[in-house]
Every structure is written in structure tokens, then in C-alpha cells.
Amino acid sequence: MWTVFWFHPATMSTLLLLLLLSNLCRLGQSMSREEKLKLRNQVVEMFDHAYSNYMDHAYPADELMPLTCRGRVRGLEPSRGDVDDALGKFSLTLIDTLDTLVLLNKTTEFEEAVRRVLTDVRLDNDIVVSVFETNIRVLGGLLGGHSMAVMLKDTGYHMQWYQDELLHMAKDVGLRLLPAFNTSSGLPYPRVNLKHGIRGPESRTGTETDTCTACAGTIILEFAALSRFTGDPVFEVHARRALDFLWEKRQRNSNLVGTTINIHSGEWVRRGERGNQSRAITDSGVGAGIDSYYEYLLKAYILLGDDLFLQRFNIHYASIMKYISQPPLLLDVHIHKPLLPARTWMDSLLAFFPGLQVLKGDIRPAIETHEMLYQVTKKHNFLPEAFTTDFRVHWAQHPLRPEFAESTYFLYKATKDPYYLEVGRTVLDNLNRFARVPCGFAAMKDVRTGSHEDRMDSFFLAEMFKYLFLLFAEEEDLTFNVEDYIFTTEAHLLPLSLSTAPHAPSPPANTTVQAPSLPHLSAYVKSLWSEEELDDSNFDWTCPNTRLLFPDPAFPRNLRDPIRSAVDKSCPRPAIHREPGMGRPPLRAQDFMANNPDHLELLRRMGVSLIHLKDGRVQLVQHATQAVSAVAAEDGMRFMQEMMELSSQQQKEQLPPRAVQIVSHPFFGRVVLTSGPAQFGTDLSKSITGVRGFVTVAEPYSGCAELSNAAFVQGRIALLQRGQCMFAEKARHIMKAGAIGGIVIDDNEGSSSDTAPLFQMAGDGRNTDDVTLPLLFLFYKEGNILLEALKEYREVEVLLSDKARDRASIFKGKPLPGILLESRMDVQEEKEDCSTDQTSPVPAATLDQSHVRTMEQDESAPHNEEVTPEEDVGPAIKRNPEPEEEPEVDKDSSRKSVEAMMADWREDLEAFQQMEDEL
């Protein structure tokens, strides 16, 4: 954050940097001071809810698991792959949150947190971590905490005991990361062992060949700050060397960089779908894998004053605007053929880019792209992890990322347009309506249904609440001047005064201008430009006046309106039927139903036989010699090929999930579980209200015989265990007992929607029109949450629906326990038609009729075409390799988790009531 910057004359014309505006740059505000205060206090209350739950239920673990009210300890929970590389058993969330505490005026809590870090955190753990994540979160967090501690100590009121302890820990982290840079290129290995470094047999590292561009190029701010704080140049030297190598390896024709690079050869790499590598179609964009590389080039210039970084950024930026930016879209292109788009979807990490454009001074495309992101957010409540160019969901997760809030803040500070305050209000409302749970805030498993993931990443506390607080705060609300600091990519605060600290020498050809501390800027600029006659007009563009940029107050709105209209019109209803084309085979794969006698006869004529396997799947095998004719055999080959293509398509796409929302005390709709649908029974996607009722366990639990507790099941939703019989048989038994719905819970202990593909239940090969109730499937982990709630609270009510419902609609206007925060539902209906990716070639209605879930080609039979569709399952199917054996979990832990949920819920209500009283 910067009020003003002065630049060397050679760069003044190329960088019209749009930065935080002085009082002379402000326009009138339509939101009252009282309303902003209310929203600012709401941000603080939300932070308290997240932070206190981490400290109460998770610390000293790295992260909080908000659905089960416990800490995430690496090795004790099922692996999430690369996501877990951020966890190093070093109380990640606490370190990442240090400078947030100070920004939110929680100096007492900050002092206590620093003492905890110094006392409890170990950095010599024998664990392999991500170099990138450890740098931005842990090293950055310690440096941000040190900066705040020094600032508070200088005021004379707090931290008088502090003797640079956090800085010493930061240097320890830096030294543990340095071995990763021991490569011929200077690019770091992507992972390092905190205790053993790289390459030693005990380190379990050093075998990787590739890293992402952002991973190697997002080091300079933290490493340079560490060097200048400590006086040891080694860190800045290594970070600069990595950036120099990336610059040299840019594609010289397009001046773009790729997503992945070989750390030894420097070749750009893209992994294909089957693990093969292609070096001719490497993607380039501004999203995942590249994003913060561009961010750090510009911010390194701002923090360190080195023109070289600015020159490189400007060259890259010109190419981005030429090839990648198609306002309001930002689309990946092929690095060697930049006029050729590489994909038809965008990932959510590019939401930082409008904020970076604000710092660059390119305000118009920043407004346009941000507006597109806002409209997508309004349609889906959150920004999906990826969305298509027609603004549909591509990847449905949302791990509470802060990039959109970041860009909202920068646009508001640059324009003072109150529109962005309303955008911030929307972000707050959605977090409280859809992500807030009794033990914190849960990431969204699927934005279409509102289902949750048991995850609250450290960046949520490190970044989200900083930007939202600053968005609504007035200058007098802040205890220090944030314009004296720069935000890292993790929103950690580094002082601009580091530009005058001793540092590594720059290359001789580079002209470096060191920016002094802000109070002395005027004298500095006058001395720098002493050879020229200067007046105020020389600096008109160092702090752009929005009245000059936007002489018509309606101008920003004129940029936004066409984009809003384009997004609104991008969700046409999908066609329900599609007529087969002429000349096609007599039976299409997407039309095939395993229980249709006519279809089975057509298969026989084409030489295709259907075999029922013991595990419940059906296998399709073609024997061309058994077809009735050569033409029929050819039709059979086409059918098998279509079936394999359909299988591949289905494996790529997520099946439409459903939601199980716990609406009874003490959850009140705040906990949503991801569930899989059935291909029979009530279609919840066509139900406005869903099915709501109390749950009860069926007896027998398998549901494979008439229920002995039918009288108790009547009018309720039955809980069933997977296995022993077909799903449709279970549905018929509970329906006969008078149940209004059913939930099948996986019997494969440890299974979770976090790690397993969504499961869709098929029929039994017979007509299932007689099943008229909804049946949903929960994996073991999600089902156990429901079962434990039932043990603790004898009456548990749930809502079965296609997506989580807003609590106001659930309770139909009745007073909610605590305050129901202001929310607007005007976009709810808009989202109905935007829930799926339109790129699928198979109509949704056709897939609903199909009994085929997955197909696998049998490569062992070269003379026969064979695929195996999964029809319906009794025993659990092993879709993935056997998971590693998990440590034994305390049997009382789940009960304690529910008790913790109850206790925290009471605290949550009290906090809401207190906030109401204060406001």
C-alpha cells in the first residue's frame, strides 16, 4: 500500500502507477461512516470466530478442521497430495496470522501469539515441505510479525521485551530453505526436508525435475527482506539468481513464461493427461503456476527500487495485454503460439490480477476483469476454483481464497468508488451465510450445492481479513500507517524502509534507484532531479486523480454494465433432448440402458455381450465375429468407442453432487455434507424445497431386508450402510416402511469426498420407476459426522437438496438463534442454470437415464473390444489404490468433537448477540 511513488525519469513515462490516493484524489462516498463501521466490526467478529476456534480446537496443529473441530496434523489425516506440502508441524496458521492481529488492533493477542511461537514452534522437524509455501507463509509470516513487533516496540507501549526473536527464527527458516537452491540453474527444488535438506537418503527429496514458475519466482520479497534485516546477503543473492534464470528462459518471441519449468535444463514443460511431456504446447497465463511471479517483479521494484525488475515486468505486461488479456477475460495461450488459446476456462487464482493492474496503473482492464469476477461470484456465491468462458462451473471447489477481496480493496483505494464497498459487503454476507460453521469457516466442497470441506487454510486468516478490514476501515481506525509497508503475496507486511538497508550488489549494467522512507520523499526527488527545473506538474501522474481519470462519475459504471449483461445472458438452459444424427450407429452410448431389453438385443446383434460381475459392475465385451453382419460389427466397434469416450468424459467431469444439510440444533443449517445422487428416485435438482426430515438408523442397518423398526422409520429419513445388496433394493425396503428419504453411508472406513471421486448410485437392472423417494450417498467421513451428531443429539433433522439452502429460507421467516446477517438472495435463481460445465457433449437428461458410471478398456484382449461400466454396487469398490494404514484414532474423539461444536455454538451465538447490542 502506497500513497505516492517517485520514479527515475527513464521509467516515469512507462509506468503510470495507480496507487493509494491522497485526500486530494478522493471522491464522495455514498456509504455512511456508521455503515462502514458496522461492516468493519463484522470483519473483526468473523476473524475472532476463526482465530479463536483455531486456538481452542487446533493449536498447535498447522490448520483447523472446522467441521470436526480438531487440528489437521500431517500424517494423522488422509493425504491430500500437494496441498499437504504446506504443513510442516510448525503451527502454520498461528505464524501466518501474526501481523493480521496487529492490523486488526489486537496487540495483546499479538504479544501472546509471539510468545507462543517462540516457546512452542519447532523448525527442525523431519518433514518434507513446499519451498514456495514455506517461504510465503512461514518465512513471510515471521518477517511480518517481526516488522509489527519492531513497530509496536518503537511506540513505547508494547513488546518492550522483544529482542528480534522472530527475526532469528526467520533466518533459521531461510537457512533450511537454502539447500533447495543448490542446482545448476539456481531454480530451487520444489520441496525440501526441514531437518535434512536435499538429496541425502534421509531427506526424501532431490529427485524432482520440475517446478512451477511461481514457485521459483516468488522468493525475492521474503529473501531480500531477510537479507536486509539480518545483513546477510546470501538470501537475496539466491532469489535474484532464480529470477534471472526465469527471465533468460522466457519465450523470446512472445516474452511470456510457461507454467512449469525443468529446474536443471530450463526447458518449459507441460504434463499431458497420461503423464507424457510435451514441450511444444506449454501454457502461459496469469493464473495458477505463474501468478505471483509477475506480482513479485513489480513489487520487488517497489520494495527494493531496482529498475531491472520494473523493466522486466513492463515487457511481460505488454505481452500479457497483447496475447492473454481479452477484456474481461484472461485466457491461457500456448507459449510458442501465443495467438492460439490453450484452454476455455480460467482458474480463480487470476483474481489477483486486477489488483496488480491497479498498482501498474492500468485501471480500465482492472475494472472490467474485476466486474466479470464479481458477476461470477454472485451467480455461484463464491468464485469457483475454475470456470468456463461462458461463466459456468469447471471445478466446483472454493477453499476461501482471498484474491478477489484483494483486488476489490485495491480498486476501492484507487477509485474511492462506493460500488466496491458493496462488493465487499457481498463477500462478507456469503462467507457468513454459506461458509460459517460452529467451529470456524469451512471451505466449499462444491459451490453449486453449498457442501463443505473440512478445511480452513491459513491464508484465510492471513489475507482475507486484512483486505476486508482495510476495505471498510477509516484512516483513524488504523494504529499504524499501512502505506509504509508493502503486502507480499500472502499479505504479510514488509516495511518500505528496507530499500535503504544494505543489500546484495546489483549487476553493473543495472541502474538502481533506492526509494527512501516516505517522510523524506520530497527532498529525495528534488535531489534526484536537481538538474531539471521542476514544478508540481511533473508529478501529476504519480498519484492519479480519479476526477481526471474519470471526469464522468458514471464512467466506471459504463465499463461494468456491459460485462454484467454478458454474464447474465451466459446461462441458457441446456437442451433436454438431442436427435441422433443421420448415418450414426443404431444405438448410441449415451442412450444405452442396461435394463432395456431392446438395447440388449441391439448389443447382441452388434456382437457385444454384457456380463454381470460379482462386485456389481457390468462388463461389455465385443466379439466382432459374433455380430450378425459386417455392418453390425462396425456399428459395434463405434458403440464401444463411444462408450470409452463417454467413460473418459465422465471421469473428467464431476457428477452432479447433492447436499445433506443439518438444520436442527445446534447446527441450524451451518453444516453441509457432500453427497452423491442416485440414478433413480426423486430428482432433487427438480425440487424447489428438497426433502426435510429427522434421521434414524434403519434396522437392519444394511437395509437389505424388511425393516424391523418400520414404525420408527415412518415419516423419517433412513440411514443405511452400503453393501450386501443393491441400492434400489435398499430404497424399496425403506420406502415400504414409510421413509421419506434415505442416506446410504459408505462402509469403507476412511473414505471421504475430499479424496475419492463422487459416487453415483445406479439401479439394479430392472425398472426403478417404483422408487419415488430420494436416496443419497455419503462417504464414510461425512456419514460419520452425521452418525455422531445423532448419538449426541437424539433428534437430528436434515435437508436433502440439490444445493444448500440459505438459512432464512430454511426457517421460513422464523427467528433464527442469534443474528441472521444481512444477505441478498436476488441472485439465487440466476444460478440455477449455471451449475454445470457446458462443455460436456452429453446432455444431462441422457446421463440421468444411463446406468453407466465408469468404463475401463481391457487391454489384455487385443482381438476383442471390452469396457466395464459400473452399474450398481453392493460391497465397496476400490477405485483408488489401497490407502496407507492410518494411525488409530481415539474412539472418544468424535464425541468430543460434537461436544466442542455445541460449546462453540453457544459462544458463537453470544458473539452475535454482543455484536447486535454494540451496533
Short mmCIF file of all heavy atoms in Angstrom, two decimals, residues 17-38:
data_model
loop_
_atom_site.label_atom_id
_atom_site.label_comp_id
_atom_site.label_asym_id
_atom_site.label_seq_id
_atom_site.Cartn_x
_atom_site.Cartn_y
_atom_site.Cartn_z
N LEU A 17 1.84 4.57 -12.39
CA LEU A 17 1.46 3.69 -11.28
C LEU A 17 0.27 4.27 -10.53
O LEU A 17 0.35 5.35 -9.98
CB LEU A 17 2.66 3.53 -10.35
CG LEU A 17 2.62 2.33 -9.40
CD1 LEU A 17 2.55 1.06 -10.19
CD2 LEU A 17 3.83 2.34 -8.51
N LEU A 18 -0.82 3.54 -10.54
CA LEU A 18 -2.03 3.98 -9.84
C LEU A 18 -2.00 3.41 -8.43
O LEU A 18 -2.12 2.23 -8.25
CB LEU A 18 -3.27 3.48 -10.57
CG LEU A 18 -4.62 3.96 -10.00
CD1 LEU A 18 -4.67 5.47 -10.02
CD2 LEU A 18 -5.75 3.36 -10.79
N LEU A 19 -1.82 4.26 -7.45
CA LEU A 19 -1.61 3.84 -6.07
C LEU A 19 -2.62 4.49 -5.15
O LEU A 19 -3.49 5.22 -5.59
CB LEU A 19 -0.17 4.20 -5.66
CG LEU A 19 0.88 3.55 -6.56
CD1 LEU A 19 2.20 4.21 -6.40
CD2 LEU A 19 0.96 2.08 -6.26
N LEU A 20 -2.50 4.19 -3.88
CA LEU A 20 -3.47 4.70 -2.93
C LEU A 20 -3.48 6.22 -2.96
O LEU A 20 -2.45 6.87 -2.97
CB LEU A 20 -3.13 4.21 -1.53
CG LEU A 20 -3.02 2.69 -1.42
CD1 LEU A 20 -2.90 2.28 0.03
CD2 LEU A 20 -4.21 2.02 -2.06
N LEU A 21 -4.67 6.76 -2.92
CA LEU A 21 -4.82 8.17 -3.24
C LEU A 21 -4.77 9.05 -2.02
O LEU A 21 -5.20 8.69 -0.93
CB LEU A 21 -6.17 8.35 -3.94
CG LEU A 21 -6.38 7.40 -5.14
CD1 LEU A 21 -7.74 7.64 -5.74
CD2 LEU A 21 -5.30 7.63 -6.15
N SER A 22 -4.26 10.22 -2.19
CA SER A 22 -4.26 11.21 -1.11
C SER A 22 -5.64 11.84 -1.01
O SER A 22 -6.53 11.56 -1.80
CB SER A 22 -3.23 12.30 -1.42
OG SER A 22 -3.66 13.04 -2.55
N ASN A 23 -5.81 12.69 -0.01
CA ASN A 23 -7.11 13.32 0.18
C ASN A 23 -7.55 14.11 -1.04
O ASN A 23 -8.74 14.25 -1.32
CB ASN A 23 -7.08 14.24 1.41
CG ASN A 23 -6.96 13.45 2.69
OD1 ASN A 23 -7.41 12.31 2.75
ND2 ASN A 23 -6.35 14.04 3.70
N LEU A 24 -6.60 14.63 -1.79
CA LEU A 24 -6.95 15.41 -2.98
C LEU A 24 -7.49 14.52 -4.08
O LEU A 24 -8.09 15.03 -5.03
CB LEU A 24 -5.70 16.17 -3.48
CG LEU A 24 -5.18 17.26 -2.53
CD1 LEU A 24 -3.93 17.88 -3.13
CD2 LEU A 24 -6.25 18.32 -2.30
N CYS A 25 -7.26 13.20 -3.97
CA CYS A 25 -7.68 12.29 -5.02
C CYS A 25 -9.02 11.64 -4.73
O CYS A 25 -9.44 10.75 -5.43
CB CYS A 25 -6.64 11.18 -5.19
SG CYS A 25 -5.02 11.77 -5.69
N ARG A 26 -9.69 12.04 -3.67
CA ARG A 26 -10.87 11.31 -3.24
C ARG A 26 -12.14 11.87 -3.86
O ARG A 26 -12.29 13.05 -4.09
CB ARG A 26 -11.00 11.35 -1.72
CG ARG A 26 -9.89 10.58 -1.03
CD ARG A 26 -10.09 10.56 0.47
NE ARG A 26 -9.05 9.78 1.10
CZ ARG A 26 -8.94 9.62 2.41
NH1 ARG A 26 -9.79 10.20 3.22
NH2 ARG A 26 -7.97 8.89 2.92
N LEU A 27 -13.07 10.94 -4.07
CA LEU A 27 -14.40 11.32 -4.48
C LEU A 27 -15.33 11.11 -3.30
O LEU A 27 -15.00 10.44 -2.33
CB LEU A 27 -14.86 10.45 -5.66
CG LEU A 27 -14.07 10.61 -6.95
CD1 LEU A 27 -14.58 9.63 -7.98
CD2 LEU A 27 -14.18 12.04 -7.48
N GLY A 28 -16.54 11.61 -3.38
CA GLY A 28 -17.50 11.44 -2.31
C GLY A 28 -17.89 9.98 -2.13
O GLY A 28 -17.83 9.19 -3.06
N GLN A 29 -18.28 9.65 -0.92
CA GLN A 29 -18.69 8.29 -0.61
C GLN A 29 -20.17 8.27 -0.30
O GLN A 29 -20.69 9.15 0.38
CB GLN A 29 -17.90 7.78 0.60
CG GLN A 29 -16.39 7.81 0.40
CD GLN A 29 -15.66 7.36 1.63
OE1 GLN A 29 -16.19 6.60 2.43
NE2 GLN A 29 -14.44 7.82 1.80
N SER A 30 -20.84 7.22 -0.79
CA SER A 30 -22.27 7.12 -0.54
C SER A 30 -22.58 6.26 0.68
O SER A 30 -23.67 6.32 1.21
CB SER A 30 -22.99 6.56 -1.77
OG SER A 30 -22.51 5.26 -2.04
N MET A 31 -21.62 5.41 1.09
CA MET A 31 -21.86 4.60 2.27
C MET A 31 -21.50 5.42 3.51
O MET A 31 -20.42 6.00 3.60
CB MET A 31 -21.02 3.31 2.24
CG MET A 31 -21.28 2.39 3.43
SD MET A 31 -20.35 0.83 3.36
CE MET A 31 -21.25 -0.05 2.10
N SER A 32 -22.39 5.43 4.47
CA SER A 32 -22.18 6.25 5.66
C SER A 32 -21.04 5.71 6.52
O SER A 32 -20.69 4.53 6.44
CB SER A 32 -23.46 6.30 6.50
OG SER A 32 -23.75 5.03 7.06
N ARG A 33 -20.51 6.60 7.32
CA ARG A 33 -19.44 6.19 8.26
C ARG A 33 -19.95 5.11 9.21
O ARG A 33 -19.23 4.17 9.54
CB ARG A 33 -18.98 7.43 9.05
CG ARG A 33 -17.93 7.13 10.13
CD ARG A 33 -16.60 6.80 9.50
NE ARG A 33 -15.57 6.59 10.50
CZ ARG A 33 -15.28 5.41 11.05
NH1 ARG A 33 -15.98 4.34 10.69
NH2 ARG A 33 -14.31 5.27 11.92
N GLU A 34 -21.19 5.23 9.63
CA GLU A 34 -21.75 4.25 10.56
C GLU A 34 -21.87 2.87 9.90
O GLU A 34 -21.61 1.85 10.53
CB GLU A 34 -23.14 4.72 11.05
CG GLU A 34 -23.11 5.95 11.94
CD GLU A 34 -22.80 7.23 11.17
OE1 GLU A 34 -22.96 7.22 9.92
OE2 GLU A 34 -22.40 8.22 11.81
N GLU A 35 -22.26 2.86 8.64
CA GLU A 35 -22.40 1.57 7.95
C GLU A 35 -21.04 0.92 7.74
O GLU A 35 -20.88 -0.30 7.89
CB GLU A 35 -23.10 1.78 6.60
CG GLU A 35 -23.42 0.50 5.86
CD GLU A 35 -24.45 -0.36 6.56
OE1 GLU A 35 -25.12 0.15 7.49
OE2 GLU A 35 -24.59 -1.54 6.19
N LYS A 36 -20.04 1.72 7.37
CA LYS A 36 -18.70 1.17 7.23
C LYS A 36 -18.18 0.64 8.57
O LYS A 36 -17.53 -0.41 8.62
CB LYS A 36 -17.74 2.23 6.67
CG LYS A 36 -17.97 2.57 5.21
CD LYS A 36 -16.94 3.57 4.70
CE LYS A 36 -15.54 2.98 4.67
NZ LYS A 36 -14.55 3.91 4.09
N LEU A 37 -18.47 1.36 9.64
CA LEU A 37 -18.05 0.90 10.97
C LEU A 37 -18.70 -0.43 11.30
O LEU A 37 -18.06 -1.34 11.86
CB LEU A 37 -18.40 1.96 12.02
CG LEU A 37 -18.11 1.57 13.48
CD1 LEU A 37 -16.63 1.36 13.68
CD2 LEU A 37 -18.64 2.66 14.43
N LYS A 38 -19.97 -0.55 10.96
CA LYS A 38 -20.68 -1.80 11.22
C LYS A 38 -20.04 -2.96 10.47
O LYS A 38 -19.83 -4.05 11.02
CB LYS A 38 -22.15 -1.65 10.82
CG LYS A 38 -22.98 -2.90 11.01
CD LYS A 38 -24.42 -2.67 10.57
CE LYS A 38 -25.25 -3.94 10.68
NZ LYS A 38 -26.66 -3.72 10.24
#
